[in-house]
Amino acid sequence: MARQLEEQIVARFPVGKRLRVLDVGMGRGVQALRLARAGHQVTGVEQDAASLSAAREAFAGEPEGIRERMRIIEGQAGDTGVHFLPGSFDVVLCHGVLMDDVEEPDALLAGVARMLAPGGMLSLLVRNGDAAAMRAGLSGDWAGALAAFCAPTTSYGLKRLTSTLAGIGAPLHTWYGVRVFTDTAADDAVLPDDLDAVLAVEDRAGRTDPYRGVAALLHLCGVRG
C-alpha cells in the first residue's frame, strides 16, 4: 500500500512540494511517519489510547526536523470538521477506519473529503466487501465461507465505493487490491527470507485484473475536483 500511495503522490504533485497531509485514524502512525520522513507536513488523528502511545513513542525517536513536521490530535475520525477548516489538506488518508462498524460511514467519508483542497487526493483503505468469503475459503473454513456468502453485509465493494466517492466530490481516480495472496498469514508470522519477492508479487497482483478484485482490502484514490 505504501508503494501505491507513493506512486499516486509522485504522479499527482510537483516533485519536492511539501504536502499538507491528514491521516484520519492513523493507528500507530506508520504511514504518517513515512510521509513526514519524506518531507511532508503531517497531522494525525487517532482516538485509541494504545495506538496514540505507540505513535508518540515512534515519533519521539525521530530527529527534530521530522518531529517538527508531525502533529498528533486525539479525536475521532468523524470529528475532522471540529478541528480543521475545509480544504486544509492536499492529501487525506483514511486507512482502516471503515473496517469496523461505523455509524453513517458515508457521512464520515463526506466529512473527510471536505478537508481536501481542490485537486487534493483521498487515499482510502477498506475491507473488500466483494470478496467476503475469500479468507475463510483459503483457510479451508468452508462453513465460514458459506456463511460469508449468505450473511448480509454493510461492507464496501468497488461499485458502492465508486458511487460514494463521486457523491462526496472526490471521484475515483484509481484503485488497487491489497493482500491478494497473503491475507491468511498470521499477524505474528516471521518475515520470510524472500520478502522482496512476496512484495513484488503482491504489488503486481494488486494492480492486475482479475487478481485485485478478490484482494482482502481495497485501496482507492479519489481526487477532489
Side-chain angles (χ1 to χ4, degrees):
M1 188 185 66
R3 294 183 184 186
Q4 298 161 0
L5 181 59
E6 182 179 9
E7 177 180 83
Q8 291 303 311
I9 287 176
V10 168
R12 177 136 214 93
F13 300 100
V15 175
K17 180 178 179 180
R18 179 172 291 187
L19 302 174
R20 301 164 298 167
V21 180
L22 174 63
D23 190 350
V24 178
M26 70 171 183
R28 301 170 68 90
V30 174
Q31 296 299 330
L33 181 54
R34 188 183 65 81
L35 291 169
R37 286 171 175 167
H40 304 303
Q41 196 74 32
V42 183
T43 300
V45 177
E46 178 57 55
Q47 63 176 337
D48 179 71
S51 295
L52 282 168
S53 178
R56 286 173 174 142
E57 183 177 352
F59 299 151
E62 294 294 314
E64 182 179 357
I66 295 176
R67 295 199 308 271
E68 289 176 346
R69 293 195 289 271
M70 273 300 312
R71 181 165 64 128
I72 298 176
I73 294 177
E74 184 174 357
Q76 298 181 355
D79 291 341
T80 51
V82 175
H83 301 291
F84 315 110
L85 293 174
S88 296
F89 297 94
D90 304 300
V91 176
V92 174
L93 313 183
C94 187
H95 295 168
V97 174
L98 300 183
M99 291 185 190
D100 300 318
D101 291 332
V102 175
E103 293 185 10
E104 300 183 352
D106 288 359
L108 186 151
L109 277 181
V112 168
R114 280 195 290 272
M115 300 301 105
L116 287 169
M121 186 182 76
L122 171 64
S123 174
L124 176 65
L125 184 74
V126 299
R127 185 174 289 114
N128 184 1
D130 294 331
M134 284 297 294
R135 183 169 194 174
L138 291 172
S139 301
D141 177 8
W142 309 120
L146 285 172
F149 280 118
C150 300
T153 178
T154 57
S155 298
Y156 281 103
L158 181 62
K159 183 176 180 180
R160 179 183 171 187
L161 282 163
T162 301
S163 175
T164 298
L165 290 174
I168 63 176
L172 181 65
H173 174 67
T174 193
W175 68 279
Y176 305 88
V178 177
R179 289 179 10 199
V180 178
F181 300 117
T182 58
D183 189 47
T184 57
D187 291 339
D188 59 352
V190 177
L191 293 179
D193 293 336
D194 57 350
L195 179 60
D196 287 343
V198 173
L199 291 174
V201 170
E202 282 284 354
D203 181 55
R204 182 69 175 269
R207 60 183 73 238
T208 304
D209 291 323
Y211 305 100
R212 63 178 180 165
V214 295
L217 308 175
L218 296 176
H219 178 202
L220 302 100
C221 297
V223 175
R224 169 71 83 184

